[in-house]
Amino acid sequence: MATSTGKIDFHYQGATYQTWYKLVGNVRSTKAGVRPLIALHGGPGVSHSYMTPHADLLASHGIPVVLYDQIGVGQSSHRKDAPKEFWTVELFMDELESLLNHFGISGDYDLIGHSWGGMLAGNFAAARHPAGLKHLIITNTLASMALWEESTAGLVKQLPQNLQDIIRKHEKDGTTDAPEYQEAMMVFYKQHVCRLEPWPQDLTVSFAAMEEDPTVYHTMLGPSEFTITGTLKTWTIVDKLPTIKCPTLMMNSVFDEAQDVCVLPFFKYIPQVKWVQFANSSHVPFFEERERYMKVVGNFLTKV
């Protein structure tokens, strides 16, 4: 499997940053009806590593895949000193455009976004109306942060009462870095982020990258997946969904953090949309039901 890595200069607000990427396959040599797929990782601020299963699509369907670390995490530029106003959806949409232009594929490509990456991908499709975007995939993500909070709050209420009490106490006291809070959070994650035991190495690498520099995650999201205090707290794309014109695949899972309540607007308001749900997965079906996931994604991208 041919792979290459590199860094792209990304110019933003008078400064130059670098975006690290990994290309699997060759964006210039695709068969008819197949386009490069750009994969947007989640977090925000969790590195690309856990998205590497999508490289399977090259072998199974001939689809070249571009993975990258968004600015602020992994091997791309970091800005620990940046004010919170720096970390915006516009920043990451500009970075995505920079990536597309670097590879010369802005006129013909597909896009997949997972979790926060799905928010970014949907926002990009709805706000910038990119003519070259042929297929959009939004997986295990949300249409508004208010609906995400409703989804995760319902899941937290299913935890044992002692864990709920620990979570509430430390969030009230502002001590979410306490070991018992972290342990309670991991119980939630092992039920609704990834149900495999142990977690795949690529997933642990991505979370380790976030822990090494949590600037983006804490600034835009908050201390955990279910406690939203960051700049994305009021984010919504619901009113923009009817403007997404390309064929769209949306996916979530039965045990997902992204329960049906927070993905339903995609199905209701995107004009050309298909909804697939995974019965035996949580937030990362590309690990938990890898074979079926790749078949669903590959067939959508090559047969629509």
Side-chain angles (χ1 to χ4, degrees):
M1 186 180 296
T3 64
S4 59
T5 62
K7 291 187 176 181
I8 301 165
D9 285 342
F10 166 48
H11 306 287
Y12 186 75
Q13 294 184 347
T16 300
Y17 305 98
Q18 290 192 313
T19 301
W20 180 93
Y21 70 84
K22 175 185 283 187
L23 169 62
V24 182
N26 186 341
V27 297
R28 301 298 180 195
S29 60
T30 59
K31 60 185 180 181
V34 176
R35 294 151 300 279
L37 176 66
I38 313 301
L40 310 184
H41 66 71
V46 175
S47 74
H48 83 283
S49 297
Y50 81 101
M51 294 289 282
T52 55
H54 291 86
D56 291 359
L57 294 165
L58 180 63
S60 64
H61 291 81
I63 300 170
V65 179
V66 180
L67 304 156
Y68 72 103
D69 284 335
Q70 297 162 20
I71 184 174
V73 70
Q75 299 178 70
S76 291
S77 296
H78 291 240
R79 276 294 310 272
K80 294 182 180 181
D81 61 334
K84 68 178 183 179
E85 292 79 14
F86 177 80
W87 302 107
T88 64
V89 177
E90 292 295 325
L91 162 70
F92 293 104
M93 290 197 294
D94 283 357
E95 184 183 31
L96 174 56
E97 286 195 342
S98 170
L99 184 85
L100 294 169
N101 291 333
H102 171 81
F103 284 107
I105 56 176
S106 58
D108 191 28
Y109 64 95
D110 297 326
L111 201 59
I112 184 168
H114 173 261
S115 197
W116 145 254
M119 298 165 62
L120 177 59
N123 217 129
F124 183 75
R128 302 205 174 176
H129 309 291
L133 177 59
K134 300 302 189 292
H135 297 84
L136 173 66
I137 302 176
I138 39 182
T139 183
N140 312 94
T141 190
L142 54 140
S144 83
M145 194 58 75
L147 293 174
W148 175 266
E149 290 187 284
E150 181 181 341
S151 176
T152 56
L155 297 174
V156 169
K157 288 180 181 178
Q158 297 175 19
L159 293 174
Q161 188 61 50
N162 66 310
L163 296 183
Q164 294 185 49
D165 293 342
I166 288 170
I167 290 168
R168 292 194 188 96
K169 174 184 183 299
H170 288 289
E171 290 178 348
K172 179 181 179 182
D173 296 343
T175 53
T176 53
D177 56 348
E180 65 173 0
Y181 180 88
Q182 297 296 314
E183 291 169 5
M185 183 176 69
M186 283 307 302
V187 172
F188 178 91
Y189 287 6
K190 288 182 178 181
Q191 292 182 15
H192 303 296
V193 174
C194 181
R195 297 169 72 86
L196 298 178
E197 187 62 43
W199 277 15
Q201 184 179 3
D202 285 335
L203 184 59
T204 60
V205 167
S206 286
F207 271 79
M210 184 270 287
E211 292 169 2
E212 182 178 342
D213 183 358
T215 303
V216 185
Y217 187 88
H218 287 172
T219 301
M220 297 186 75
L221 201 70
S224 73
E225 296 288 282
F226 45 78
T227 304
I228 312 302
T229 58
T231 56
L232 288 173
K233 187 172 180 64
T234 60
W235 181 89
T236 182
I237 197 179
V238 173
D239 60 332
K240 298 177 182 177
L241 293 176
T243 70
I244 297 177
K245 301 305 182 185
C246 62
T248 300
L249 172 65
M250 53 168 286
M251 300 181 287
N252 74 330
S253 308
V254 170
F255 303 105
D256 205 339
E257 297 177 283
Q259 292 286 292
D260 291 357
V261 65
C262 67
V263 304
L264 183 59
F266 295 124
F267 188 68
K268 290 177 66 176
Y269 300 121
I270 295 177
Q272 301 180 66
V273 64
K274 178 181 180 180
W275 184 356
V276 173
Q277 186 172 84
F278 295 90
N280 300 304
S281 297
S282 57
H283 200 51
V284 285
F286 39 88
F287 287 114
E288 296 162 303
E289 293 181 70
R290 188 164 177 162
E291 183 176 354
R292 182 185 175 219
Y293 176 93
M294 296 304 164
K295 183 176 181 179
V296 168
V297 170
N299 288 350
F300 173 76
L301 292 176
T302 57
K303 295 183 179 180
V304 172

